[in-house]
Amino acid sequence: MEKRFYLSTTDKKIGGVCGGLAEYFNIDSLLVRIGFVVLFFGFGTGLLAYILLWILAPKSPNF
């Protein structure tokens, strides 16, 4: 079975992007959230990346 990225329906705070990335890479979602905060405050791209992933990524078929 092919591994695909989906928005998480179980591990989400806002849109499920960080939880989905954490499931895809098999890491803790807190690390992904910290990464987005660093990108946001350090480079100004974290929010844009989060919103784009939220819009473009499919929702998990495992409701």
Side-chain angles (χ1 to χ4, degrees):
M1 187 165 107
E2 184 179 328
K3 188 176 183 181
R4 294 197 55 198
F5 167 69
Y6 294 105
L7 296 174
S8 177
T9 56
T10 57
D11 184 14
K12 68 180 194 176
K13 299 291 181 191
I14 299 174
V17 174
C18 295
L21 285 172
E23 290 172 9
Y24 182 79
F25 290 113
N26 198 24
I27 58 175
D28 188 23
S29 61
L30 180 62
L31 296 174
V32 179
R33 289 183 177 100
I34 290 171
F36 272 105
V37 170
V38 168
L39 284 175
F40 177 70
F41 287 112
F43 305 103
T45 59
L47 183 62
L48 178 62
Y50 189 92
I51 291 172
L52 285 175
L53 285 171
W54 192 5
I55 292 170
L56 298 175
K59 293 182 181 176
S60 176
N62 303 328
F63 297 133

